[in-house]
């Protein structure tokens, strides 16, 4: 059971893991701004296309359709891929996936592998599995290579090193690759990586890639990169292994138009990635293996409320816009996919390990607004909270406060009395009583001054004015003073 | 949760998927009213330049070989390979290259782009009659020759034009290889070509 779905692993707590990141206020602010910059670029791109919403609707419907007929499309994909000369493998879980990949590699006597970005292989922890068997794996996406050299997982699915500053990259490269000490120029550092990784590409015995979209109708698949690392990695060695979750399927090649138009615009605000490579069968003299991985996806598909989370095309737009992700960093999620979509996928699959993630959300709904495949993310997060509570995965502090709130909300007199009492007494309560360790909201923020009137009182006043305004035929003013 | 107990592999996955009846959802039937441009070539050029590509327009009636020969990257580099015949500067014959690793020191690769896409500045290329597809990615500078009459408005038009069935590699390339993985600073020349030049011809 060296599977990532191991249900015996202890629960991870988002708030606790975020504490370290939040402590460095300047860095947290810098991280927040960097991601907001990407979100703004996405907005500019989206505004250039009058048909944007139409595209989102189509994308969501195509994916929902594919999921509704997933077993048929998988079989169609398999037979078409076989026809083109590719080998198709099926893996129920992470362990089986790793075994299949390791077997293919050992059959070919592979010692060195170059891998382009694949969140699936992160999810399956393929790297340590192969390394234990004496196979060297090099992640060739620059961001992924940086985090690999640091011995960290990526903190973002599209921008794996978004949490790292150029000074730290300079220091890392100086120590590990012997680049000039104190170098911070991204162009210089990228060139250092280019030269070193060029050697890795040339020495590799096999290339592993992820898959962005697989086409049932043709048996081919598409991989998108900006760096060209996937193409270099699988066009030099003879062996190409492509690993994909079973939800990556789309029915027809023409559907790619919809998804490729949405993907890069949503992800980084580019009109399209530099390379959108369409692989149909192995290259002449080469060998192509495709590994289809379930690892909990078929079970998620059974849950109607969360099924649409499988529509995800891994663009990362929900992370870039999420006020919690931007301020807490990807590592605080402790999942292969962080952010809003990760907070749905991981707890839906393994609630024991990730009970805090659906709570790492303000329910602002921004993720749902930007999602190119219209996954109702914040609704799913709310529903997950309900499920977690029902199944006893809530911390006792939350359970207690919820019980108190529920008791009060069911008794209007108590609610009104409590409010009136708090408004009178609250302002005189000493600080240490208000900002004690029990007040998690007050940790880094000041509670706004208590109003003198309740909402109900204010609303009554507003209604009174409104009637008067209508009678005197004046435009309705919301000013109650 | 019972993945470990359930049967493994193909049969297990298909059985689990078939056990669960999912309400049918149809594919969308309406056509997307996709963006079109008054001057698709101008749009194509603009977008390609915005992503770091260079666009050179061949003069009317000038053979593409002449325009390519005049490019700085071709004039200033030594090892040049052309996927299409007739370029006198070319000194590497791709058909003679047995091992793709031998292309490591390739300076310039010249190839024909089948068509361009105005909305995103992408050019469609394939490995049809091309022995080593790595040439597109391993060269220091990529030059694509494109007929200006072959610039489509959007990706929907592009896929309507493409056909599948053969074992073949095809890619949309939009600009030179790039990365922004260090503090979101854009750097041109990540692993692949450091430059992309598109030579627009009038089809001659």
């Amino acid at each position: 059971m060296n599977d990532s779905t191991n249900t015996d692993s202890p629960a991870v707590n988002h708030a606790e893991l975020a504490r370290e990141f939040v402590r460095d206020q300047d860095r947290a602010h810098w991280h927040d701004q960097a991601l907001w910059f990407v979100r703004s670029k996405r907005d500019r791109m989206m505004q250039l296309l009058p048909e944007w919403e139409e595209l989102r609707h189509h994308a969501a419907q195509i994916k929902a359709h594919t999921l509704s007929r997933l077993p048929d499309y998988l079989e169609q994909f398999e037979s078409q891929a076989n026809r083109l000369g590719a080998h198709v493998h099926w893996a129920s879980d992470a362990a089986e996936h790793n075994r299949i990949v390791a077997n293919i590699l050992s059959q070919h006597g592979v010692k060195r592998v170059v891998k382009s970005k694949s969140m699936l292989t992160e999810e399956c922890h393929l790297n340590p599995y192969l390394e234990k068997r004496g196979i060297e794996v090099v992640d060739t996406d620059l961001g992924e290579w940086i985090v690999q050299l640091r011995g960290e997982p990526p903190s973002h699915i599209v921008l794996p090193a978004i949490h790292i500053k150029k000074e730290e990259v300079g220091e890392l490269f100086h120590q590990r690759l012997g680049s000039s000490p104190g170098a911070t120029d991204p162009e210089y550092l990228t060139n250092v990586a280019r030269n070193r990784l060029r050697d890795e590409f040339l020495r590799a015995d096999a290339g592993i890639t992820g898959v962005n979209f697989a086409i049932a109708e043709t048996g081919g698949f598409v991989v998108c990169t900006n760096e060209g690392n996937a193409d270099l990695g699988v066009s030099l060695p003879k062996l190409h292994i492509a690993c994909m979750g079973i939800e990556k399927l789309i029915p027809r090649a023409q559907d790619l138009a919809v998804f490729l138009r949405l993907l890069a615009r949503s992800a980084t605000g580019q009109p399209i990635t530099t390379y959108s490579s369409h692989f149909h069968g192995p290259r002449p003299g080469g060998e192509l293996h495709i590994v289809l991985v379930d690892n909990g996806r078929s079970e998620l598909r059974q849950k109607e409320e969360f099924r649409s989370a499988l529509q995800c095309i891994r663009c990362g737009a929900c992370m870039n816009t999420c006020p919690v992700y931007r301020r807490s960093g990807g590592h605080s999620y402790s999942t292969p996919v962080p952010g809003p979509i990760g907070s749905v996928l991981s707890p839906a699959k393994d609630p024991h390990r990730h009970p805090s993630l659906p709570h790492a959300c303000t329910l602002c709904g921004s993720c749902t607004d930007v999602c190119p495949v219209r996954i109702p993310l914040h609704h799913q997060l709310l529903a997950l909270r309900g499920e977690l509570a029902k199944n006893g995965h809530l911390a006792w502090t939350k359970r207690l406060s919820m019980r108190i709130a529920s008791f009060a909300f069911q008794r209007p007199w108590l609610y009104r009395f409590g409010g009136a009492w708090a408004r009178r007494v609250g302002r005189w309560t000493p600080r240490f009583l208000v900002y004690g360790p029990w007040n998690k909201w007050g940790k880094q923020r000041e509670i706004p001054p208590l109003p003198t009137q309740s909402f109900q009182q204010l609303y009554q006043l507003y209604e009174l004015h409104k009637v008067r305004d209508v009678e005197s035929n004046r435009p309705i003013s919301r000013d109650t003073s | 949760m019972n993945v470990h107990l359930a049967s493994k592999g193909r049969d297990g996955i298909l059985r689990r998927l078939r056990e669960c009846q999912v309400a049918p959802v149809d594919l969308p039937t309406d056509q997307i009213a996709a963006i079109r441009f008054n001057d698709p070539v101008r749009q194509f050029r603009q977008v390609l330049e915005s992503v770091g590509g260079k666009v050179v327009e061949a003069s009317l009636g000038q053979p593409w070989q002449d325009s390519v020969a005049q490019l700085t990257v071709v004039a200033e580099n030594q090892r040049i390979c052309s996927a299409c015949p007739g370029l006198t500067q070319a000194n590497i014959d791709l058909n003679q290259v047995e091992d793709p690793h031998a292309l490591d020191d390739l300076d310039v690769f010249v190839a024909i782009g089948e068509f361009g896409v105005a909305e995103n500045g992408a050019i469609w290329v394939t490995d049809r009659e091309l022995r080593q597809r790595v040439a597109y990615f391993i060269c220091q500078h990529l030059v694509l020759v494109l007929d200006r009459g072959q610039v489509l408005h959007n990706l929907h038009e592009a896929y309507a034009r493409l056909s599948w069935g053969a074992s073949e590699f095809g890619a949309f390339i939009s600009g030179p290889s790039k990365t922004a993985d260090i503090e979101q600073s854009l750097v041109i020349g990540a692993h692949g070509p450091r430059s992309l030049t598109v030579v627009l011809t009038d089809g001659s």
Side-chain angles (χ1 to χ4, degrees):
Chain A
M1 290 257 296
N2 49 1
D3 185 333
S4 64
T5 60
N6 193 339
T7 47
D8 300 331
S9 9
V12 287
N13 186 312
H14 175 266
E16 251 163 53
L17 290 171
R19 195 167 295 145
E20 191 59 34
F21 187 86
V22 177
R23 193 167 291 147
D24 189 344
Q25 292 256 350
D26 289 343
R27 195 189 189 91
H29 180 69
W30 165 80
H31 186 263
D32 172 25
Q33 293 300 302
L35 286 153
W36 188 251
F37 171 67
V38 183
R39 154 80 211 251
S40 312
K41 283 202 291 180
R42 171 252 173 220
D43 287 353
R44 277 202 294 279
M45 271 299 149
M46 173 271 281
Q47 284 152 6
L48 289 175
L49 283 190
E51 66 268 33
W52 184 257
E53 287 307 313
E54 217 181 322
L55 280 169
R56 288 178 73 216
H57 274 99
H58 269 246
Q61 200 180 335
I62 293 167
K63 279 281 183 179
H65 164 80
T66 317
L67 285 169
S68 77
R69 294 185 41 192
L70 193 54
D72 304 337
Y73 280 131
L74 282 170
E75 285 182 314
Q76 186 187 10
F77 175 76
E78 180 190 37
S79 75
Q80 291 295 67
N82 283 337
R83 190 181 56 78
L84 294 169
H87 304 266
V88 178
H89 308 260
W90 302 67
S92 275
D93 54 23
E96 197 175 3
H97 162 266
N98 293 347
R99 244 189 343 263
I100 289 169
V101 174
N103 276 345
I104 300 169
L105 294 177
S106 75
Q107 275 161 22
H108 290 77
V110 170
K111 288 271 155 250
R112 294 167 194 278
V113 179
V114 283
K115 186 160 81 66
S116 70
K117 203 154 66 197
S118 150
M119 284 305 120
L120 178 75
T121 57
E122 286 290 330
E123 174 188 325
C124 296
H125 302 292
L126 178 68
N127 286 15
Y129 185 89
L130 293 181
E131 280 155 8
K132 246 184 264 167
R133 281 152 186 81
I135 297 169
E136 190 185 302
V137 190
V138 178
D139 284 317
T140 56
D141 172 85
L142 177 57
E144 267 213 317
W145 192 53
I146 292 170
V147 294
Q148 189 188 27
L149 287 176
R150 283 166 61 105
E152 285 176 359
S155 74
H156 188 289
I157 57 172
V158 175
L159 320 159
I162 187 77
H163 62 293
I164 301 167
K165 297 205 165 193
K166 58 186 181 207
E167 290 79 15
E168 294 165 306
V169 178
E171 183 57 27
L172 178 76
F173 282 11
H174 171 57
Q175 285 182 5
R176 301 290 299 272
L177 312 167
S179 63
S180 315
T184 58
D185 177 29
E187 197 165 331
Y188 167 78
L189 294 171
T190 301
N191 215 36
V192 169
R194 177 189 170 100
N195 292 334
R196 175 61 179 266
L197 285 170
R198 184 52 78 96
D199 291 341
E200 300 290 350
F201 282 120
L202 290 167
R203 292 194 307 170
D205 310 309
I208 297 180
T209 66
V211 167
N212 288 94
F213 305 99
I215 314 140
E217 165 191 73
T218 68
F221 59 90
V222 175
V223 180
C224 304
T225 74
N226 281 320
E227 301 181 3
N229 55 318
D231 297 290
L232 264 180
V234 301
S235 301
L236 287 166
K238 286 197 162 80
L239 178 61
H240 175 184
I241 305 176
C243 305
M244 59 175 273
I246 52 175
E247 85 283 15
K248 292 285 173 195
L249 225 53
I250 54 170
R252 307 160 300 186
Q254 70 184 76
D255 301 322
L256 285 169
V258 174
F259 291 103
L260 288 188
R261 296 187 79 197
L262 286 166
L263 179 64
R265 287 181 171 101
S266 298
T268 53
Q270 294 173 253
I272 190 168
T273 48
T274 305
Y275 303 103
S276 311
S277 300
H278 299 52
F279 296 90
H280 281 86
R283 71 185 162 93
E287 211 173 297
L288 173 63
H289 293 260
I290 303 167
V291 190
L292 303 169
V293 184
D294 181 345
N295 203 30
R297 286 162 177 79
S298 59
E299 272 145 355
L300 188 57
R301 179 173 168 274
Q302 288 170 8
K303 300 178 184 166
E304 201 178 340
E305 190 144 31
F306 304 113
R307 185 179 303 139
S308 62
L310 291 170
Q311 293 174 192
C312 176
I313 57 172
R314 302 288 191 270
C315 70
C318 61
M319 290 159 216
N320 302 343
T321 200
C322 177
V324 178
Y325 174 89
R326 283 190 276 119
R327 289 170 180 83
S328 63
H331 287 156
S332 60
Y333 291 79
S334 192
T335 51
V337 178
I341 182 66
S343 300
V344 172
L345 292 173
S346 292
K349 187 174 159 190
D350 188 356
H352 299 270
R353 192 165 153 72
H354 306 285
S356 66
L357 290 188
H359 299 280
C361 164
T362 63
L363 297 178
C364 75
S366 186
C367 47
T368 307
D369 288 343
V370 298
C371 176
V373 288
R374 294 173 53 86
I375 303 170
L377 286 159
H378 72 293
H379 294 283
Q380 292 181 342
L381 286 166
L382 183 62
L384 271 172
R385 290 185 190 181
E387 267 202 8
L388 288 166
K390 221 165 42 197
N391 299 324
H393 291 300
L394 227 49
W396 70 267
T397 46
K398 272 213 169 75
R399 274 204 309 273
L400 181 69
S401 53
M402 285 295 154
R403 200 162 294 166
I404 294 170
S406 165
F407 188 83
F409 290 162
Q410 288 174 56
R411 291 160 183 81
W413 64 266
L414 179 60
Y415 177 78
R416 275 196 297 274
F417 171 77
W421 181 80
R423 278 193 302 283
R424 284 212 180 91
V425 182
R427 74 191 70 229
W428 308 115
T429 316
R431 247 194 108 75
F432 74 91
L433 277 178
V434 180
Y435 293 93
W438 49 85
N439 184 355
K440 304 230 156 137
W441 287 6
K443 262 189 193 160
Q444 272 151 319
R445 30 172 119 73
E446 285 293 306
I447 290 174
L450 287 160
T452 47
Q453 288 164 305
S454 73
F455 175 76
Q456 287 189 349
Q457 290 165 332
L458 286 171
Y459 193 74
Q460 271 163 12
L461 219 64
Y462 164 71
E463 287 291 302
L464 206 71
H465 279 259
K466 194 166 80 174
V467 173
R468 226 182 283 151
D469 287 350
V470 171
E471 278 169 353
S472 58
N473 207 13
R474 274 185 290 141
I476 296 169
S477 143
R478 270 194 289 168
D479 187 6
T480 52
S481 58
Chain B
M1 228 117 295
N2 297 323
V3 172
H4 305 287
L5 307 173
S7 65
K8 297 254 172 185
R10 185 179 192 277
D11 296 342
I13 294 172
L14 289 174
R15 205 195 56 229
R16 276 197 299 281
L17 291 173
R18 291 217 158 92
E19 266 168 9
C20 161
Q21 283 302 310
V22 175
V25 180
D26 290 330
L27 278 168
T29 47
D30 54 320
Q31 291 287 313
I32 288 173
I35 197 163
R36 294 175 66 84
F37 306 93
N38 290 330
D39 185 349
V41 175
R42 198 169 142 237
Q43 172 73 18
F44 171 81
R45 183 181 180 138
Q46 219 167 37
V47 178
L48 192 58
E49 284 170 349
S50 78
V51 296
K54 293 187 200 86
V55 180
V56 173
E57 307 218 21
S59 3
L60 205 67
Q62 188 186 29
W64 66 265
Q65 289 90 341
D66 291 0
S67 317
V68 171
Q70 282 163 16
L71 297 175
T72 332
V73 287
V74 174
E76 287 181 355
N77 281 293
Q78 302 301 315
R79 299 185 49 82
I80 294 162
C81 171
S82 176
C84 24
L87 187 70
T88 46
Q89 285 77 9
N91 48 26
I92 297 172
D93 182 359
L94 215 49
N95 286 316
Q96 303 298 316
V97 177
E98 194 77 47
D99 178 3
H101 296 82
L103 292 168
D104 176 36
D105 56 357
L106 181 62
D107 291 321
V108 182
F109 180 55
V110 183
I112 301 281
E114 269 186 38
F115 60 84
V117 184
E119 70 158 318
N120 54 25
I123 301 115
W124 179 254
V125 298
T126 70
D127 69 349
R128 200 175 309 142
E129 292 164 31
L130 190 77
R131 195 167 178 194
Q132 302 294 354
R133 71 181 185 213
V134 79
Y136 289 113
F137 310 102
I138 205 167
C139 63
Q140 297 293 320
H141 304 279
L142 179 61
V143 177
L144 294 175
V145 180
L146 181 67
D147 177 356
R148 50 183 299 133
Q150 299 296 325
V151 176
L152 312 175
H153 291 271
N154 54 61
L155 269 188
H156 304 282
E157 290 183 3
Y159 280 101
R161 185 179 154 149
L162 289 169
S163 63
W164 316 89
S167 183
E168 195 173 277
F169 171 86
F172 286 111
I173 297 181
S174 174
S177 152
K178 60 173 181 263
T179 183
D181 273 345
I182 300 175
E183 280 201 19
Q184 283 298 294
S185 306
L186 179 70
V187 178
I188 302 284
H191 296 301
R194 296 177 190 271
S195 78
L196 167 70
T197 311
V198 173
V199 177
L200 286 175
T201 67
D202 57 359
S204 60

